[in-house]
Structure formats: C-alpha cells, structure tokens
Amino acid sequence: MTAELPSLVLRGTTLRFAGNPFDMPPEEALIADPDGAIIIENGRISAVGSFSTLASTLPATLPIIDHRPCLIGPGFIDAHVHYPQFGVIASYGEQLLSWLERYVFPEERRFADRAYADSIAGAFLDSLLDHGTTTAAVYCTVHPESVDAFFSASRQRNTRMIAGKVLMDRNAPDFLRDTAQQGYDESRDLIDRWHGQGRQLYAVTPRFAPTSTEEQLTLAGALLDTAPDLFMQTHLLETKQEARWVEALFPHRAGYLDVYDQAGLVRPRSIFGHAVHVTENDLTRCAHAGCTLAHCPTSNAFLGSGAFRLFEAMRPDRRVHVALGSDIGGGNSLSMLRVMNDAYTAAQTHGTSLHPVQSYWLATAGAAQALGLAPTIGRLEEGAEADLCVLNPQATPLLAQRAARAESVSDLLFALLMLGDDRAIEATYIMGRRHRASP
Ligand code: GUN
Ligand code: ZN
C-alpha cells in the first residue's frame, strides 16, 4: 500500500505551531508563512519551509499544487462524534435523555443491518472529510456490524479513525442491549480485527454510566489491558438531570467520575465527552490521570446542557487535556470551524475569551497530543502523516470582505472560525491524497 501513496508539493500560507498557545502568547505560538511549501513523499510530510528556499531542491517530476492565498494546516481532529446519528442530526424539541429515547435509540436500532450501516458510514466519512476533519473518535452502536461497517469505510479511505462498539446492558431498549459478557466478547473480537490494522484504532465505548452495570464497566476496564494503546470513550456530566440519575444508580460511589475511576476507566487515552458539570475535584483527578475531556459546545448549546468551563479545565497548575468534539447528532454541525465558533461563545458566557490560535490548537495539535497521537498527526512536521486541511478565507462574500480587513493571520483565522463552515474547506488531504479528487 505505501508504494501507492502520493508525493507532491503544496504551496500556500502554512500554519505551524512554535509551542502551546495556552503556555505562551498565542500570537507567538502560531508561525504562518504566506508563501510556504509542504513537501509530501509517500503520503508523509518530508519538509516544510518557505517555497523559495525549498523550490530549488525539488525534483522536477513532483507536482506542485498552488493553494495560495489559502491557509494550509493539519486536518481537524473531532474527539467526540456519533456516526449512527448522522441521519437524525437537527432533530427538534428535546433535551438529552428524552432526545435519546425519541430520536437516537430508534435510529441506532437500524445499524443491526450491515447494509444500512455501510451506507451511513460511507456518507458520514465523506461528509467529515468535506468538513476538513481527518481523524475522529467515533461511537458506533451496540451492534458489532456497525463497527465493521465503520472501520471498513475508513480503511477504504485510508483515514486514521478511532472507534468502538457501544456497550449498554441496562436502561436502554432491549433491541439495543448487550450483556456484560457479550459486550466484552464482542469488543475483544473487534479489537483483534481492527485495532492497529492500517490506520484504525479501537476505543472501548461504554455509552455512559446510566446504561452500564458496574459489572460491564469493570469488564470495560479489563478490556483496556488486553492490547496496547487502546482508547476509551464515554460521556461524563453532560446534564444535571443525568448527574442526578447517576447518583441514584451508584449511591456508594463518591461521584460520577468515581464510577468510571473505580472501574479502571480514568487513564491516558480515555476521552470523556462534555464534562459540563465537573467539580474542582474531578478536574484535579483528570489532570492527574492524564485523560482527555472532549468539549462539545455546539451540542451543549443545541441540547441546552450548559457551557463547559474551558479555562478552569486548562488551569496551568493542574492542566487537564482538552480536545473539541462535534458530537453530532447532539451537535448540529460536523464543521470544526462551527465547533470553534461555539467554543468561543461558551467561553464568553464565563467572561473569558478563547483566542483563535488556542482554539485552532485544540482542534489540531492539542488534540493529537492529548490523545497520544502526536507527532503522527496534528501538525505540519517532518515525518507526520500528510492529513491536511486547506482553508479558503474567500469562500463566501461575507467572509471575503471580513478577511480583506484582517490585521494579522490570527485575526484572519478568527474570521474563518466565526464565519466559516464546510464552504471554507478548499481541500482535504488524507496521507497526501486529495479527498474527492478525480482519479
Ligand atoms: N449521553 C449518552 N448517550 C449520548 C449520546 O448519544 N449523545 C449525547 N450527546 N450524550 C449522550
Ligand atoms: Zn456524545
């Protein structure tokens, strides 16, 4: 396969990080070269620099794609998304628990049918790439077929994806329930089949504490020790109603996070979606454990769940890893530009301002670092996989007139985050291959 991967040069405004914009002035953390070049050999970045310097070193046979005046950066990383909810995105009138019952569970039932799962998995992945997202942590359904469908579609596109079978052995309709043992066995089979195969990575996926018995959560913890570098994903403290339910279901635990902790689920490569209603103790524990919180502001606004306290989570003295998630269908857009827009709004409601370079970091290099995937993805660096997203600041008339007034690259980035969506994605590259390019 590697022999078939493309070699080429991309020219445009390259976006690189000098460091973490939460640890240094954000303006200094972004290095933008208005006439930069990225050399891709066999699907990997072999050099990044100014076009004029690199041009003389290029073999004449290497195609040059000129993306000026667009910005070229790493592909976006969506740390929390449900592919089976692609069809019920934008469903009216409910909050979390009734929304799950009314829209999500009936739709997830359909993924017992492999052909249906195949069709949604393909459409979802193509749409994700149209939105500039090249890696995502993805929930499938309780059906192993839904996982095979997803990873097959990802393998076909050669995307780096994290996904897993949902575990649910109680408080869900019988057509969506497994048992603790069945969930373990099916997950084990799927790990053997997919984890580390090509670019595919497996996440053990208990949906959330209310839909798993303690036995199932404990077995989920045991699964994490059966192969190296497995991920874990679940939901945590998304709404107050859900938090009260967990207290009633697990009265002997110190809190919602402790339910997961006692099962061995709070560790590096564990991704907790939402965490809107976390306490200071929770944040201290997360910082210690090295797990990641997936901030899903679009979903939190859409479902009326609340606003995550990003700057509290990122406090330097006990920094918690944070990444961003679209959480469709709780979120109503796959666009990480829209998610960054809503992350800005969520921070504003707490009286804080999220700088565009900080936001861009959370959606790219910061997420890769949080998930243990740096330096493989998330940055324009020599040796990294060439998963790239090209942003067009002139995609719409509204954006173009604002872009013309931009005072700096970070101001231009801010305009893109506030006004952009999939129309601003000029191109997406997966290991150097352009998505939707004609063969
Ligand atoms: N909590 C448990 N399941 C879900 C889900 O599918 N979406 C969201 N947003 N929250 C959940
Ligand atoms: Zn979710």
Side-chain angles (χ1 to χ4, degrees), residues 80-82 85 139 235 238 274 327-328:
H80 183 113
V81 60
H82 301 254
Q85 296 173 19
Y139 288 63
H235 297 82
E238 179 176 359
H274 304 287
D327 189 35
I328 73 147

Side-chain angles (χ1 to χ4, degrees), residues 32-222:
D33 184 341
D35 193 8
I38 302 165
I39 305 181
I40 299 167
E41 289 181 271
N42 247 327
R44 286 177 185 274
I45 297 173
S46 63
V48 187
S50 78
F51 184 80
S52 59
T53 311
L54 290 176
S56 60
T57 68
L58 299 175
T61 51
L62 221 51
I64 299 173
I65 316 295
D66 193 347
H67 280 301
R68 288 174 301 168
C70 295
L71 312 180
I72 312 177
F76 294 128
I77 299 171
D78 184 342
H80 183 113
V81 60
H82 301 254
Y83 99 82
Q85 296 173 19
F86 188 65
V88 292
I89 190 169
S91 291
Y92 171 77
E94 304 291 346
Q95 295 191 333
L96 175 64
L97 299 176
S98 52
W99 168 81
L100 285 173
E101 296 279 347
R102 179 169 167 194
Y103 297 111
V104 172
F105 290 159
E107 177 64 13
E108 291 196 3
R109 181 181 201 171
R110 302 178 69 181
F111 288 73
D113 174 1
R114 174 67 193 262
Y116 185 70
D118 282 335
S119 73
I120 301 292
F124 167 85
L125 274 169
D126 284 336
S127 186
L128 200 68
L129 293 164
D130 288 340
H131 287 81
T133 300
T134 48
T135 289
V138 180
Y139 288 63
C140 302
T141 67
V142 74
H143 316 98
E145 297 85 345
S146 73
V147 184
D148 286 326
F150 182 77
F151 278 132
S152 299
S154 176
R155 179 175 57 192
Q156 243 174 34
R157 290 160 181 77
N158 198 27
T159 43
R160 184 169 282 293
M161 290 289 154
I162 304 164
K165 170 199 134 72
V166 162
L167 302 166
M168 278 202 283
D169 68 345
R170 65 165 167 173
N171 294 325
D174 53 4
F175 53 79
L176 284 182
R177 275 202 309 267
D178 53 14
T179 66
Q181 191 60 47
Q182 181 192 356
Y184 180 92
D185 294 342
E186 290 175 349
S187 302
R188 262 295 336 129
D189 278 354
L190 289 163
I191 290 165
D192 282 345
R193 197 143 63 245
W194 292 108
H195 185 59
Q197 299 300 315
R199 305 187 80 201
Q200 313 314 317
L201 297 163
Y202 195 85
V204 174
T205 308
R207 179 176 217 115
F208 67 158
T211 49
S212 285
T213 59
E214 214 153 78
E215 185 191 2
Q216 180 160 69
L217 295 174
T218 304
L219 284 177

